Amino acid sequence: MKPLAFVTSTFAAAVLACHAPHAAAQASCSSDGTARPTALFERFISADCEACWADPATPAPSAPSTVVLDWIVPSAQGDEAPLSAAATNDAAQRLQALGRQALVGTDVALSTVEPPARPLRLRVAHGLPINDYLGTGIALVRTDGVTPPPQGWQYHLVLAEAVPAGSEGTLVARNLVRNMLSGTWNKREQLSKNELFRWMDNRPMRIPPGAQPQRLHMVGWVQDAQGRVLAAAQSVCR
């Protein structure tokens, strides 16, 4: 068990990052002021396929407003697979959620962001590393002052590592998924008399062994019950 002081300080960093972006400017990174992604482009690689990771012809989106995520999917070889150190169960779950078959080599999925009629703003953020954890946060605000979004919308918050081309055995730039939090927003919190509604989650997220903290950032999105992506965001350190 981690000491209570550690858990408290980590959680406090997440809350600060989500609720006081100006005060946390020197200690956090967020999606504040960034262009909103218009699509998610997800690349899945089997942990067995080291050549797939190194492939210079790896598919890439044409639109600069598209967020790219690279998932390493565990294989039957387990720890003996060449890419097992970066494989996560989250990758297998995400592949299944997209309705894809079991992975042999590679697969790609493109999800266009389809904003609902009423305006939404999604925010993601993280603080500084504390031991092996980051305080992270995701928040959705509906700003039309009418009614909250339907219950049951799902959120995903991904810890991604920006791996430059020419490093770690890859010839193309990667956003390697290192960890993920997911959940469903079923409750609303009214923040003001103007009926500004916010849904949020603030939690410590573990930095896995081998990840370089200075290359980490957050990617988040919200989807409806049919799997349509309604809003997305990614953090930038300024």
Side-chain angles (χ1 to χ4, degrees):
M1 293 290 291
K2 296 289 183 181
L4 178 60
F6 166 75
V7 176
T8 302
S9 63
T10 307
F11 182 78
V15 173
L16 179 62
C18 262
H19 298 294
H22 299 294
Q26 299 302 316
S28 69
C29 305
S30 77
S31 57
D32 294 342
T34 63
R36 297 300 174 186
T38 59
L40 299 177
F41 189 80
E42 300 174 80
R43 302 186 291 213
F44 296 87
I45 301 175
S46 169
D48 289 337
C49 192
E50 189 172 15
C52 300
W53 174 260
D55 187 0
T58 295
S62 56
S65 57
T66 300
V67 175
V68 177
L69 293 174
D70 291 282
W71 304 83
I72 306 297
V73 183
S75 73
Q77 290 193 66
D79 292 342
E80 300 301 317
L83 303 179
S84 63
T88 68
N89 290 329
D90 293 327
Q93 293 170 7
R94 179 60 181 163
L95 192 67
Q96 183 179 19
L98 290 170
R100 302 305 178 95
Q101 300 297 320
L103 197 62
V104 176
T106 64
D107 197 359
V108 296
L110 177 65
S111 301
T112 302
V113 177
E114 304 178 41
R118 296 187 176 92
L120 297 173
R121 179 168 60 86
L122 186 67
R123 184 176 192 268
V124 297
H126 69 84
L128 295 174
I130 303 176
N131 291 346
D132 295 327
Y133 287 80
L134 282 180
T136 70
I138 182 170
L140 177 70
V141 176
R142 182 165 176 171
T143 57
D144 60 1
V146 180
T147 56
Q151 292 188 3
W153 283 9
Q154 296 179 335
Y155 65 89
H156 302 277
L157 182 62
V158 165
L159 179 65
E161 181 176 358
V163 181
S167 64
E168 311 294 340
T170 178
L171 296 179
V172 300
R174 303 276 186 180
N175 277 321
L176 178 61
V177 175
R178 289 298 198 170
N179 208 336
M180 182 174 73
L181 295 174
S182 298
T184 302
W185 277 314
N186 287 317
K187 297 180 181 180
R188 77 183 188 187
E189 179 182 1
Q190 186 171 339
L191 300 181
S192 74
K193 294 180 180 179
N194 294 325
E195 293 184 316
L196 175 68
F197 295 93
R198 184 192 300 268
W199 287 255
M200 65 190 71
D201 195 358
N202 301 290
R203 281 193 261 174
M205 189 179 290
R206 184 172 180 270
I207 302 172
Q212 298 189 33
Q214 71 275 14
R215 301 197 307 202
L216 297 174
H217 63 285
M218 310 307 300
V219 175
W221 69 93
V222 175
Q223 63 187 53
D224 63 13
Q226 289 70 47
R228 291 188 296 262
V229 178
L230 306 175
Q234 62 179 333
S235 67
V236 174
C237 297
R238 301 187 185 280

